[in-house]
Amino acid sequence: MRSAVHKVLHPIAGRPMLAQLLGSVEALRPAAKIVVVGAGREQVEPLATRDGATVVVQAEQLGTGHAVAQAARSLPDFDGDVLVLYGDVPLVRAETMARMLDRLNAQDAPAAVVLAFRPADPLSYGRVIARDDGTILKMVEHKDATAEERSVNLCNSGLLAMRARDLWALLSRIGNDNAAGEYYLPDVVMLAAADGRASAVIEVEAWEVAGVNSRGELAAVEAAWQQRRREAAMAEGATLIAPETVWFAHDTVIGRDVTIEPNVIFGPGVRVADGAVLHAFSHIEGATIAEGATIGPFARLRPGAEIGAGAKVGNFVEIKKARLGARAKANHLSYLGDAEIGEGANIGAGTITCNYDGFLKYQTRVGAGAFVGSNSALVAPVSIGAGAIVGAGSVVTRDVAPDALGLARAEQRERPGWARRFREMMATRKQAK
């Protein structure tokens, strides 16, 4: 990756790859989750432990079989099923993992279940030679395969399901007499076959087991994920005007009859209710948008933004940790942070909440039906009462009572003829030079 950041911490759809995978695993309610790392433990461990996993270190890089063996000491008394997954293969679905375990526990009791796929270009993937019924005849790494074996396009993803007692016993028997001098995890399948025990293969689409080893592959996996998510959003009843320009996060929730215009970007933690309209070039993260609300164009909703039903957030408006009540409006060029804006209130163009004094954040409250004139600064903590009006250009530092007029600006003064006299004076000075 050519990065100071550990590979599995690079994000897909706004979520680190490892977190994507652990999230899918959690749907199976596992007895334990073990993350094996070769290097970079100090980066990986905080995320892994947050998600309930234990980290163990593979001190020497001696192959995939050797890596999996490092997990054994963390599962000394475990006698259940083991799934072997890869942190840089983040999009494996929980449904696929469940299929692997179901096949492992089928009536014929295979020794192992291997997840395989058919890529457009098999490249250097290991091959799976299988019968029509899915039982495996042979598994071979590309480096060690014959030309005939390389002609097979069923490829090993590396993902595997086995019973713990079988896995540990077979791992202790694998050797490294191969082209790379490594201990290959797939060798357990052939060792089981030598013992007279068959293994089985399950196929998935290539996108589900796509691995990431470079920035280019990261971008490709992201692009493929986004394309599937766009298709799902439209299938579920949203309108995407230019689908290829919309980018979702892993947890974006979109209701029915939502319209999303071009170049809308979703960060994590967004929920959009039915009938909302998201205009072009808006960036939305950590926000909740209620029914029929209108956002943008060129709006930014930051974490903690709550937009009420039928409310309007217009162009170049930024909202952070603030609630805009039902039918309230902030149509132009405003910043609303740490604020509570009541139902039907109107926030004029250029208005900002001054919520930070360099040390602490403070709250601004605007009551229902209040009107805040353009280019006003509301210096928090401050409250504007229900139905009150704040005159344009005001710097409000004290509360304004309900239904009152709040006005805080210098008195306008006029000097007749001053501008003409000034021009004449300056013209004379310029001529003198």
Side-chain angles (χ1 to χ4, degrees), residues 63-89:
T64 52
H66 180 260
V68 173
Q70 308 312 301
R73 61 180 179 270
S74 296
L75 299 168
D77 302 315
F78 182 70
D79 193 33
D81 301 332
V82 175
L83 275 171
V84 179
L85 308 168
Y86 289 81
D88 59 1
V89 182

Side-chain angles (χ1 to χ4, degrees), residues 310-330:
K312 293 184 178 180
V313 177
N315 47 288
F316 304 104
V317 173
E318 179 179 350
I319 296 181
K320 186 274 299 184
K321 199 177 179 182
R323 184 180 184 278
L324 198 64
R327 302 179 308 283
K329 300 176 182 179

Side-chain angles (χ1 to χ4, degrees), residues 153-168:
N153 71 345
L154 185 62
C155 295
N156 178 24
S157 71
L159 281 64
L160 184 79
M162 293 187 71
R163 297 166 193 85
R165 59 182 178 275
D166 292 333
L167 177 60
W168 309 136

Side-chain angles (χ1 to χ4, degrees), residues 32 39 58 76 81 134 156 158 186 213 225 232 254 354 418:
Q58 182 192 18
D81 301 332
N156 178 24
N213 289 295
W225 186 96
I254 304 293
C354 306
W418 186 93

Side-chain angles (χ1 to χ4, degrees), residues 372-398:
V372 179
S374 298
N375 204 34
S376 294
L378 308 180
V379 183
V382 71
S383 294
I384 311 300
I389 295 176
V390 173
S394 294
V395 178
V396 180
T397 59
R398 296 194 300 269

Side-chain angles (χ1 to χ4, degrees), residues 12-14 91 219-233 240 243-250 252 264 266:
I12 298 291
L91 302 185
V221 170
E222 176 80 44
W225 186 96
Q226 292 292 340
Q227 179 59 28
R228 291 190 301 276
R229 183 64 185 88
R230 294 166 191 143
E231 291 171 357
L240 276 61
E244 69 280 5
T245 69
V246 176
W247 289 75
F248 292 102
H250 66 97
T252 308
V264 173
F266 295 94

